[in-house]
Amino acid sequence: MKFLFFILSFFVAISSSAQTVTLGSVTLHVWQFSIDEEQARPLVAEFEKAHPNIKIHMQQLSWDFGNDKIITSLISGNAPDVFEIGSTWGPHFSQSGVLKEITQETEPYRDRYLMWEPVMVQDKVYGFPWLVGTRFLFYNKTLFKKAGLDPSHPPRTWDELLSAAKKIKALSSDTYGYGIAVAEEFAPWHTFIPYLWNGGGEVLSRDWKEVTLNSKAAYQTLAFYQSLKPYALLNHQEQIDQLFAAEKVGMILSGAWNFKSIQKTNSKLEYGVSSVPTPKSSQLPISFGGGEMLVMLDKTKHPKEAFEFIRFLTSYEVELHLSRSQRNVLPSLKAALKDPFFEKDSHMKGFAEQMLTAKTPPAHVGWIKMEKILSGLIDRVMLQNESIPQALEGTSSQLSKILNQTQKKGTISDEHLTFWILVFLVILVLGFWFLRNRKLPVGEFSTWILVLPWVGLFLVFSLYPLLYSLVISFSDYNVLTSHFSLSGFSNYVETLKDSEFLKALGHTLFFAVGTVPFTLVISVGLAALIHQGVPWKSLFQAGFFLPVVTSVIVIATLFTFFYSESGFLNFILTTLGIPKPNPAWLINRNWALLSIMAMAVWSSSGYYLILFLAALQSIPASLYEASRLDGANGLQQFFKITLPSLKPMILFVVVINTINSLQVFPEIFTMTKGGPARSTTTIVYYLYEKGFSEFQMGTASAVAYILALLMCLFAYFQMKVLREKS
């Protein structure tokens, strides 16, 4: 699928072009998430000093978009030599065929490092564990004292945790005993699965052939989790962490990134860390273990040098240095975890002790899909108040479908498809040429010469991707290997049968129907007021148009804080004595989509206001003068002159706004990630998940064509109805 990502890969190539060899030296391109530039620079310099023939070009990726960039680079053939992947991505990458097997090279180190499972496939190794982390209990010592609890004895059992949460919640209405992550893709299952494991439950059987989630142990764990709800804050993990630092939440299950954030936001906070509470005090506390893996591209020209750099990054000194300096990761090297450094710092000591009993989730290739379903289970029970048996049964059914899916090995390469599409385009152009069946006059020939560049760009960048994606929509496409096999209409059939797609379709239509009329009325009304000459006219125009020239991502980020538990909107409601929603706006499945719709209306009205203002200014003033002579008032003028004159612009705005609304994505991606409980998942976000999270590019292409057909139908009927009325 290389050509579809040509433009993006061009920029990728600039930042990390293919390996360069000059005068015997080797340049390795390395992408990683965990080290910032300040720390990376001296490490690279140290390695290059010890290896004069190797030059390292290291680039830091963001967790938000890094996975997309890695996939894009693999598709475009511009992938780095060495890159970092998360442990939950490991199974999919390891079984994709794009990573280099390093079983023999890692044999001497197998017993010395933690967490090999995510990069192992049938005893073959495709990566090296680097840095690891886990979830553990943070508790506020100040709130413990106020609630009459002993701050030197954090809760060790479920009963003690529930009792402590009750006492802390009783302190005040805006204080919470515990924090429960909801309405996200990963945090909910990260913080729930340790309780499931400690309660004796499992998601899959040991051989990964059966879903074992629907069990008595899982029921009891969810029942305990539900018992915490009256005393807990339900929110995104980031909000929970912030409110813990603000002394509004007594206990949270979270990660070591809080060490730095607490130091920045509330350095005087008295808090401690402890292991995950268990049903019985005699149990060994198990927590979720995740990590960062360093992998090599199978096609790298310098495997020895690449492995040498991996060994440098995974050495005792480097791993311990990163753990000391960053204080949010731990070494994967077991010996480094026993370094005296961890005995001196009580917080890091608790972190390291919990890591020694941490457990990784099943290294199944479908886990990357399963984890979202597990997070959905928490939302169903905690936000939708669905009965536990029903939620477990439904979740188990979804997991079973993924477990029973088989990965088809593609037989047709990307290059073959490109070749045949190019052949088709050449035949199409020649056929068009010969169908004219006459000699071109000189003038027309020169015209063709002038439009030839545009025609070429259209064929290459518009028609080619269109045909390519159309073929892909009828196939099972492996996005990492760029091979596929034809599957007929199965992608379309499965998509239309998928309940998640139908929900996304419903949300999208609701978004369009709910935003287009309001945007139309507001923009027409504001344009009419400004046209009448309100005071500070230019200021009003600039103010309403400002959101249009501001990035949607920026606006969505601002509104995320605006809608948060401690945000400005809740502050206003509290000040006025109006009850605020519980949970907060973007966590509440009844309000989340409506909140995003309100933001969309506000941010887009300014653009249509300018269009209507231009249309109003084109209406002849003589019409208004004549109507005044006939005794028409302002309201009659609006409905008899203004509105009829605006009908062509209304038609344009309605069609364009509907198309934009059906394609809503950045707002969803930034604010809710499709949550809570999938209540804000739209078609384009569903498409994104299928293509870039689940790597089902064939299904994603089918969704794109279904959406294109839907937009065409909407545009056709809108134009037909509005034209008939005009």
Side-chain angles (χ1 to χ4, degrees), residues 399-418:
L399 295 174
S400 295
K401 289 180 182 179
I402 297 173
L403 203 61
N404 295 328
Q405 286 178 351
T406 56
Q407 185 77 20
K408 294 183 180 180
K409 190 173 182 180
T411 56
I412 305 173
S413 72
D414 185 72
E415 288 80 4
H416 290 149
L417 178 57
T418 300

Side-chain angles (χ1 to χ4, degrees), residues 25-28 47-48 51-56 305-306 308-309:
S25 68
V26 170
T27 298
L28 294 177
F47 179 81
E48 290 179 343
H51 304 81
N53 65 316
I54 305 176
K55 300 297 179 185
I56 302 296
E305 292 83 355
E308 188 68 27
F309 186 63

Side-chain angles (χ1 to χ4, degrees), residues 510 563 569 573 579-599 671-672 675-676 679-680:
F510 180 75
Y563 286 131
L569 182 55
L573 294 177
K580 59 184 180 181
N582 184 31
W585 298 91
L586 297 179
I587 310 300
N588 193 308
R589 62 189 304 268
N590 296 320
W591 286 103
L593 189 57
L594 292 172
S595 301
I596 298 174
M597 290 165 62
M599 184 208 73
M671 300 175 77
T672 62
S679 62
T680 61

Side-chain angles (χ1 to χ4, degrees), residues 585-725:
W585 298 91
L586 297 179
I587 310 300
N588 193 308
R589 62 189 304 268
N590 296 320
W591 286 103
L593 189 57
L594 292 172
S595 301
I596 298 174
M597 290 165 62
M599 184 208 73
V601 170
W602 173 83
S603 62
S604 62
S605 293
Y607 171 70
Y608 301 113
L609 180 154
I610 298 298
L611 296 180
F612 282 121
L613 189 59
L616 285 170
Q617 291 170 348
S618 67
I619 300 174
S622 58
L623 295 177
Y624 293 101
E625 293 173 2
S627 66
R628 277 195 294 271
L629 292 175
D630 290 336
N633 57 33
L635 195 60
Q636 289 172 326
Q637 286 179 338
F638 179 78
F639 283 102
K640 297 296 184 179
I641 299 174
T642 305
L643 207 55
S645 301
L646 289 178
K647 281 186 177 179
M649 183 58 72
I650 290 174
L651 171 61
F652 174 78
V653 167
V654 168
V655 172
I656 295 300
N657 196 10
T658 301
I659 291 173
N660 289 336
S661 298
L662 292 174
Q663 297 182 87
V664 59
F665 171 74
E667 298 91 338
I668 306 296
F669 181 82
T670 306
M671 300 175 77
T672 62
K673 295 290 193 300
R678 310 293 290 175
S679 62
T680 61
T681 301
T682 57
I683 292 181
V684 179
Y685 189 78
Y686 176 90
L687 184 157
Y688 170 80
E689 285 186 315
K690 288 296 178 183
F692 288 95
S693 294
E694 301 178 13
F695 308 110
Q696 296 181 26
M697 199 58 71
T699 302
S701 298
V703 173
Y705 279 96
I706 293 173
L707 177 60
L709 179 61
L710 184 66
M711 288 190 294
C712 290
L713 290 174
F714 263 86
Y716 171 76
F717 285 114
Q718 285 175 337
M719 292 176 70
K720 185 175 181 180
V721 171
L722 290 174
R723 276 179 177 170
E724 286 178 356
K725 287 186 177 181

